Amino acid sequence: MAAGMGSRYGGLKQMDGLGPSGETIIDYSIYDAVHAGFGKVVYIVREYFREQFEQTVKEKYSHVLCPDGERLQFEFVTQELDRIPARFTLNPERQKPWGTAHAVLMARDVIHEPFVVINGDDFYGRDSFRIAGQWCREHENSENVYAIVGFELDHTLSESGGVSRGICHYDEAQHLTDVVEHHNVQFDSDGVLRGENSVTGEKVELRSKDLCSMNMWCFTPDYFAKSAKIFESFLEQNINELKKEYYIPYAIDCIIKSGEGKCDVLSTASQWFGVTFKEDRPGVVAKFKALADEGLYPTPLYK
């Protein structure tokens, strides 16, 4: 998902060169995905920068070969406010996008196999793609089962202050029961990790190894029909709301609660990092340099 405008960041962070040789975060995600066995990339972007984005991608990756010897495939789809079912009329005052679950729906016509959803401005690490790739291969002929790759909470914190994280709750079978958003998650002065539960408003103690959602999901193609149906119900209630968004956790929660599917909770030890604000940039640049210096990634990634 690369349709975000980067208003808080101050520009198109999807195209910002942060690696030692000007690599973007998406460059690293694609590198890790290809090495995990993925052979197709679908970019969800906004129409106003699609042409520039598509040209850049083709110049950079046109020669990339997958482990099976085939060239990496690409598709480009756009997310716009008016991409809603015909029976609804868009409120002309709305400016906010419809959310992450709506973004994924934009790829419905070009994805026909198990797939993984990621944010374009997050670094997920190679272990997370290995885990997601294995799940997809094991579920090539499955329906009604999806997965979330959960990151250990202390591997997702920011040096700049508190962050918001969705803590994964799951049963004994490792099936997701819900994702509860917590705000201002950070270690307090007494060394205890705490966050504010968005449901109760209470400040609660959290565990370093609690699994949280960083918007890395695994889906089988039947998810699209279910999500489209839920989106229609969402619009029936919220078509004139200017800020309500249709998020992936909401769609998954509806599917789980209705009994129409289940969601496996996978876990990775990968270290997450990303850019939200311009102030995050120097730290991310330093992290990519360190990864290259350790020999974990070549530089440049693509020659």
Side-chain angles (χ1 to χ4, degrees), residues 184-197:
N184 200 30
V185 177
Q186 61 183 325
F187 283 100
D188 286 336
S189 57
D190 60 1
V192 177
L193 182 60
R194 295 185 178 92
E196 298 163 7
N197 186 306

Side-chain angles (χ1 to χ4, degrees), residues 84-97:
I84 57 177
R87 68 186 181 94
F88 296 99
T89 301
L90 179 68
N91 187 325
E93 295 183 17
R94 185 179 178 95
Q95 295 182 345
K96 284 188 73 67

Side-chain angles (χ1 to χ4, degrees), residues 63-233:
H63 64 288
V64 174
L65 297 179
C66 300
D68 61 5
E70 296 293 324
R71 289 195 181 276
L72 188 61
Q73 299 178 47
F74 301 97
E75 297 280 359
F76 298 85
V77 298
T78 56
Q79 180 188 21
E80 301 295 339
L81 294 180
D82 59 358
R83 296 288 300 279
I84 57 177
R87 68 186 181 94
F88 296 99
T89 301
L90 179 68
N91 187 325
E93 295 183 17
R94 185 179 178 95
Q95 295 182 345
K96 284 188 73 67
W98 285 111
T100 53
H102 175 255
V104 175
L105 277 175
M106 299 303 97
R108 183 176 186 174
D109 293 336
V110 299
I111 297 178
H112 311 288
E113 54 276 297
F115 63 101
V116 173
V117 174
I118 63 169
N119 291 334
D121 54 1
D122 290 342
F123 175 82
Y124 292 96
R126 107 181 13 166
D127 182 64
S128 62
F129 285 97
R130 178 188 62 79
I131 290 167
Q134 181 177 336
W135 188 93
C136 286
R137 284 187 290 273
E138 292 173 352
H139 292 83
E140 285 186 12
N141 300 307
S142 299
E143 291 187 349
N144 307 321
V145 57
Y146 318 111
I148 182 172
V149 179
F151 286 70
E152 295 173 2
L153 185 57
D154 62 349
H155 286 179
T156 73
L157 302 180
S158 171
E159 299 169 0
S160 304
V163 295
S164 292
R165 294 288 179 260
I167 306 298
C168 298
H169 294 176
Y170 45 92
D171 59 24
E172 293 179 355
Q174 290 288 114
H175 293 148
L176 189 71
T177 53
D178 58 10
V179 178
V180 179
E181 190 78 7
H182 288 70
H183 303 300
N184 200 30
V185 177
Q186 61 183 325
F187 283 100
D188 286 336
S189 57
D190 60 1
V192 177
L193 182 60
R194 295 185 178 92
E196 298 163 7
N197 186 306
S198 65
V199 178
T200 66
E202 292 182 277
K203 191 170 187 178
V204 298
E205 187 173 326
L206 300 169
R207 295 172 298 182
S208 294
K209 299 306 175 186
D210 281 341
L211 297 181
C212 65
S213 169
M214 300 310 295
N215 236 14
M216 189 177 203
W217 301 86
C218 306
F219 292 117
T220 47
D222 61 287
Y223 164 79
F224 287 118
K226 292 183 178 67
S227 181
K229 182 179 176 182
I230 296 167
F231 185 47
E232 293 219 18
S233 297

Side-chain angles (χ1 to χ4, degrees), residues 23-38 41 61 64-65 67 72 123 126 129 295-302:
E23 296 90 349
T24 65
I25 291 183
I26 295 178
D27 290 341
Y28 286 93
S29 291
I30 291 176
Y31 184 89
D32 286 337
V34 168
H35 283 78
F38 291 90
V41 181
Y61 306 126
V64 174
L65 297 179
L72 188 61
F123 175 82
R126 107 181 13 166
F129 285 97
L296 297 176
Y297 291 94
T299 182
L301 276 179
Y302 307 97

